[in-house]
Amino acid sequence: MRKTTTTPRARRLAAATIALGSCLALALPAGGAAAAPSDPVPTVFFGDSYTANFGIAPVNNQDSERGWCFRATDNYPAVATRSLADRGIKLDIQSDVSCGGALVHHFWQQQELPFGAGTLPPQQDALKQDTQLTVGSLGGNTLGFNRILKQCSNELRNPSLLPGDPVDKDEPAAKCGKFFESGDGKQWLDGQFEQVAGDLEELLDRIGYFAPDAKRALVGYPRLVPADTTKCQTAAPGQTRLPFADIPQDALPVLDQIEKRLNDTMKKAAADVEGGADFVDLYAHTGKNTACDGANRGIGGLLEDSQLDFGGTKIPWYGHPNAKGRDIQAKQVAAKIEEVLNR
């Protein structure tokens, strides 16, 4: 069932009124050309493990509960911010609250950390009345992408740091492609997408309310599976495991379709929200840097060792961007921010 937005209409109207007043106050004279602001732009980054860049070391806040967010010191928000500064566009980072495992509703609800490590406040708490730019990715965990991967892999069903259970543990992993294309599997997936769409609407509305002057940029997810899935039957240089471990090859196009649908859902949410939001289409720019593109891969293989160490054991990438992928994220995000601020 789709989640019904709880933001009162009156609150949205109030936000729109404030935003309209701000726009009028900042309106350019007739014939004027927009230019990037000379003062640092108050900015908040939000999101899940793809914004935090899980798998890349070192990690911020290792001595506090936020260390369980696995947010890389050099995640794409940090790299994009430096790149923009080199081009004369300065961001005043009010906060980066991205955290691994975050669902869309953790934007307005507290997030419980793993292993009883504590809780984090809602990500929206980082927003301020003077925030002018918000950027981030949420949606993959609400969709249940980890559960989808576990549905398709016996190896991922083994105990690990990867959270979640398979959608239906009684259905064999070898038949997961057909599972998601019909019957209970398809019904579950359709319900998850409905939830994601409703929650993203809520998220964008809340940004508009709590930071009425902020431009909103929703960042999509990079492509994991290539169009030519035969490439996924070869291990990357220096690796002995296939990029998607034991996931059947006939399930890989299904996973790709699911990810494409997720990005399309995010893009639609950004286009439909009152006042508009921007979308960074990473999927469209990463078709040659999937987990199966060997030396050019921007995605670490499911069971490929990442840069993170947990108790003396390397943590797998679990399909997250490696350093190359992080740099692609940063490049596309920086380009979108520059476009937005130059309007």
Side-chain angles (χ1 to χ4, degrees):
M1 247 183 116
R2 176 172 177 171
K3 176 183 179 301
T4 302
T5 296
T6 58
T7 306
R9 183 172 182 273
R11 196 170 69 180
R12 295 184 185 175
L13 290 175
T17 301
I18 295 171
L20 178 60
S22 300
C23 290
L24 291 175
L26 297 173
L28 292 168
S38 56
D39 294 330
V41 179
T43 302
V44 168
F45 288 99
F46 62 89
D48 57 23
S49 58
Y50 278 74
T51 306
N53 281 121
F54 167 88
I56 294 176
V59 170
N60 276 323
N61 308 116
Q62 293 188 56
D63 297 327
S64 74
E65 66 272 10
R66 282 197 177 272
W68 287 100
C69 289
F70 295 106
R71 178 162 59 86
T73 300
D74 270 346
N75 63 347
Y76 82 68
V79 176
T81 297
R82 290 199 299 268
S83 173
L84 288 165
D86 290 342
R87 302 204 288 272
I89 300 173
K90 297 180 180 179
L91 303 183
D92 171 17
I93 308 302
Q94 294 178 314
S95 194
D96 179 348
V97 289
S98 58
C99 187
L103 283 73
V104 182
H105 71 245
H106 289 136
F107 194 78
W108 60 87
Q109 296 178 16
Q110 69 179 16
Q111 179 181 353
E112 291 188 11
L113 295 169
F115 305 109
T119 60
L120 297 180
Q123 295 191 14
Q124 71 179 18
D125 288 5
L127 299 174
K128 303 181 184 301
Q129 281 290 312
D130 67 343
T131 301
Q132 295 178 23
L133 179 67
T134 58
V135 183
S137 310
L138 282 168
N141 292 321
T142 297
L143 178 63
F145 207 75
N146 284 353
R147 298 189 66 191
I148 294 168
L149 291 174
K150 287 192 173 186
Q151 186 65 35
C152 295
S153 167
N154 286 316
E155 291 194 69
L156 290 179
R157 293 187 188 192
N158 293 327
S160 69
L161 286 176
L162 188 67
D165 296 314
V167 178
D168 185 346
K169 64 182 180 181
D170 294 328
E171 284 288 324
K175 296 182 179 180
C176 78
K178 292 182 179 178
F179 174 77
F180 287 116
E181 292 185 311
S182 62
D184 291 344
K186 182 179 185 301
Q187 184 176 0
W188 177 86
L189 194 60
D190 289 345
Q192 294 300 107
F193 273 111
E194 194 170 358
Q195 183 74 49
V196 170
D199 283 0
L200 287 173
E201 177 187 345
E202 176 81 3
L203 181 155
L204 293 169
D205 280 342
R206 283 174 175 270
I207 294 175
Y209 177 73
F210 289 107
D213 291 336
K215 299 180 185 299
R216 298 166 290 188
L218 194 59
V219 182
Y221 292 89
R223 190 168 186 174
L224 305 182
V225 180
D228 179 7
T229 60
T230 61
K231 295 194 295 184
C232 300
Q233 302 309 302
T234 302
Q239 301 298 313
T240 58
R241 305 299 303 273
L242 296 180
F244 286 97
D246 63 333
I247 292 180
Q249 186 177 352
D250 64 2
L252 294 178
V254 178
L255 295 182
D256 185 50
Q257 291 163 15
I258 291 172
E259 193 197 356
K260 178 65 164 61
R261 183 178 174 185
L262 173 59
N263 278 281
D264 288 345
T265 299
M266 298 174 73
K267 185 176 182 179
K268 185 176 188 302
D272 290 350
V273 68
E274 183 178 354
D278 286 274
F279 180 67
V280 182
D281 193 350
L282 292 177
Y283 181 94
H285 291 92
T286 49
K288 296 181 179 179
N289 303 104
T290 70
C292 303
D293 280 299
N296 291 321
R297 69 192 183 284
I299 302 295
L302 289 184
L303 297 179
E304 178 183 348
D305 287 346
S306 75
Q307 298 174 7
L308 299 181
D309 184 282
F310 183 75
T313 302
K314 287 287 188 181
I315 303 176
W317 284 105
Y318 293 132
H320 285 79
N322 56 23
K324 181 188 289 289
R326 182 271 321 272
D327 290 346
I328 295 172
Q329 289 176 294
K331 179 180 179 181
Q332 295 299 324
V333 168
K336 179 60 70 175
I337 290 174
E338 185 171 12
E339 173 192 329
V340 167
L341 295 181
N342 274 299
R343 283 181 187 149

